[in-house]
Amino acid sequence: MNKRMVSAAIVLVEILSLSIVSSARAEKPALSLKQRLDRLVLDCYPSATEPGAAVLVMVDGKPVLRKGYGMADVEKGVKVTPDMIFRIASITKQFTSVSVLQLVQQGKVSLDDPITNYLPAFDTRGKTITVEHLLSHTSGLPNYNEGPDYVKGITRDLKPAEIVKLVAGKPLEFEPGARFHYSNTNYALLGMLIEKVSGRTYANNLKSSITKPLGLADTRYSRNDSLTPRHARGYDQDSSGQWVPMKPMSMTQPFAAGAIESTVDDLAKWTQALVDGKAVDPKLLERAWTPYKPSERPSDYGYGWSIRSGSGERWIGHNGGINGFQSAAVWIPEKKVFVAILRNGLGGVAPDVLLGRLALEAVGRPEPKRVAIKLPTEKLDRYVGVYALSPEVKFIISRKGDQLFAEAPNKSKVKLVAEAEDKFFSPESEVRFSFTIENGKATQMTLRRAGRDSIAKREE
């Protein structure tokens, strides 16, 4: 928050009238970077009795903040410590990406190869889908874990081939290479490719090619066995807002798209190993850290990382969410800043929101404090409706009482807070919302995220 408490000024006449020497009240010392970072975390996760997070902020290779917040196990009263193990969800994808790039480096795989060179039985709907299309989420393949029926079967153990069969018969959403659309199906197929080419299971290949040689002792393909004392337990909020243990999920289903567990320390060590060229050739890594260029729409995604540029620096990172866990990590090479947040609760402020605030503080550009204003319900009603970013992606804006909400496809509702008559933010999301009003009614909504604007036209 970077607030400073300033003592009252002592006017000159008061000083001159003193009969004895007296020390004027001085300004309190400015908060250190560590203290400012700690306050930002506590603003988001203030409770010591609810699920929390492990947080690591490093600058120039040294930890500035390394701390646990809240409870790792609410029922047993176990506190989160910074060395605890969490499921990292979609941060898994960067490990899968590097596993593929290692095979490229060995000459066993080419980025331009059709996936059918390695998985001939996979139905590409008559199109050429390359390894690079899968890495960059530009294949057009639908996401196997989207849809209302998927959650009903999450306890089933599935083989990789059975995972991709979940989208069998569904058409491609666009021509391969034309657009970006995040789909876990891409990385399930990459996991199958790794197994086919390496001759090892995904888990064994991860261990032999990445975690063991790099010394990542707490990073592994997640298992369904009982929790160890260093494992955080995942939680969700029920309809009354109470924290309850998350329902089980077979970790065969996230597979190469999201089944790895790790610690904030290992994620930092992993990132440094990448920077040092210990995991994969720097030229291949730079390609992974460069946004792929689809033919129709821009993308900020490389191979397993999103890359956002601005203010002379790149933010290279990823976030994730899985049963009871959320994650976010970013590397800013130009500032030598690394931030990782692993959370054991679904609900409340998302880690990627906190991540942005911590990273901005660490690079010396603190996020400005936003001031909420109150709008009458008749003005809020102007924004209620359905807004389409594309035929596949639509937002629902709704009102309950004097509160506005935004709901994206397959996502929970987030509260919108007004900061101007036509501008809103959410305490739970980094996205900013603004509306265009014509004849007393909103006709479009602009979403700003990471400096990029996306326009959603009103449909209803």
Side-chain angles (χ1 to χ4, degrees), residues 346-410:
L346 298 180
V349 179
D352 54 342
V353 176
L354 174 59
L355 181 96
R357 295 170 186 171
L358 294 175
L360 285 171
E361 192 73 49
V363 301
R365 297 195 310 277
E367 182 181 62
K369 187 171 179 63
R370 297 184 175 273
V371 179
I373 64 170
K374 201 78 171 176
L375 294 178
T377 55
E378 59 267 23
K379 288 191 175 180
L380 294 177
D381 283 337
R382 299 185 301 184
Y383 309 119
V384 173
V386 178
Y387 299 80
L389 277 174
S390 69
E392 305 88 20
V393 181
K394 298 181 181 182
F395 281 79
I396 299 173
I397 304 298
S398 59
R399 179 178 67 82
K400 184 176 182 180
D402 61 356
Q403 185 62 64
L404 215 58
F405 295 89
E407 183 177 6
N410 299 308

Side-chain angles (χ1 to χ4, degrees), residues 223-411:
R223 300 164 297 201
N224 297 327
D225 49 12
S226 59
L227 296 177
T228 69
R230 285 185 56 220
H231 277 79
R233 188 175 191 181
Y235 290 86
D236 195 5
Q237 288 179 299
D238 62 19
S239 57
S240 66
Q242 295 297 308
W243 290 101
V244 294
M246 194 70 192
K247 295 178 181 178
M249 176 183 191
S250 170
M251 295 309 292
T252 63
Q253 295 200 23
F255 185 43
I260 290 178
E261 61 184 23
S262 190
T263 64
V264 291
D265 294 326
D266 263 13
L267 290 178
K269 186 184 293 186
W270 158 246
T271 302
Q272 190 59 53
L274 290 167
V275 173
D276 293 340
K278 294 179 179 179
V280 70
D281 183 271
K283 290 182 179 179
L284 284 173
L285 180 65
E286 191 58 32
R287 190 163 177 177
W289 285 358
T290 301
Y292 179 82
K293 294 182 179 179
S295 60
E296 292 184 7
R297 298 178 185 171
S299 167
D300 62 4
Y301 202 92
Y303 306 159
W305 283 269
S306 63
I307 304 96
R308 304 171 194 169
S309 300
S311 301
E313 62 201 31
R314 291 171 298 164
W315 288 37
I316 303 167
H318 214 290
N319 61 8
I322 201 168
N323 264 31
F325 295 88
Q326 297 182 80
S327 60
V330 69
W331 165 242
I332 307 173
E334 292 78 13
K335 300 292 185 179
K336 295 184 179 179
V337 166
F338 175 79
V339 183
I341 303 167
L342 299 179
R343 174 155 165 77
N344 65 324
L346 298 180
V349 179
D352 54 342
V353 176
L354 174 59
L355 181 96
R357 295 170 186 171
L358 294 175
L360 285 171
E361 192 73 49
V363 301
R365 297 195 310 277
E367 182 181 62
K369 187 171 179 63
R370 297 184 175 273
V371 179
I373 64 170
K374 201 78 171 176
L375 294 178
T377 55
E378 59 267 23
K379 288 191 175 180
L380 294 177
D381 283 337
R382 299 185 301 184
Y383 309 119
V384 173
V386 178
Y387 299 80
L389 277 174
S390 69
E392 305 88 20
V393 181
K394 298 181 181 182
F395 281 79
I396 299 173
I397 304 298
S398 59
R399 179 178 67 82
K400 184 176 182 180
D402 61 356
Q403 185 62 64
L404 215 58
F405 295 89
E407 183 177 6
N410 299 308
K411 303 289 184 181

Side-chain angles (χ1 to χ4, degrees), residues 52-56 67-69 80-84 86 264 340-343:
V55 178
L56 176 64
K67 188 175 176 180
Y69 299 82
V80 175
T81 56
D83 64 340
M84 278 192 163
F86 295 71
V264 291
I341 303 167
L342 299 179
R343 174 155 165 77

Side-chain angles (χ1 to χ4, degrees), residues 22-89:
S22 177
S23 297
R25 287 179 293 165
E27 288 186 356
K28 290 184 178 180
L31 295 178
S32 67
L33 175 58
K34 179 179 180 179
Q35 290 171 321
R36 299 197 304 271
L37 294 170
D38 184 54
R39 285 194 173 189
L40 288 173
V41 181
L42 289 171
D43 282 345
C44 295
Y45 308 133
S47 176
T49 60
E50 296 180 352
V55 178
L56 176 64
V57 181
M58 298 189 71
V59 180
D60 290 328
K62 298 178 181 178
V64 178
L65 178 70
R66 181 181 177 271
K67 188 175 176 180
Y69 299 82
M71 286 289 171
D73 191 315
V74 174
E75 290 73 26
K76 294 181 179 179
V78 179
K79 295 180 179 180
V80 175
T81 56
D83 64 340
M84 278 192 163
I85 299 168
F86 295 71
R87 291 180 180 173
I88 63 172

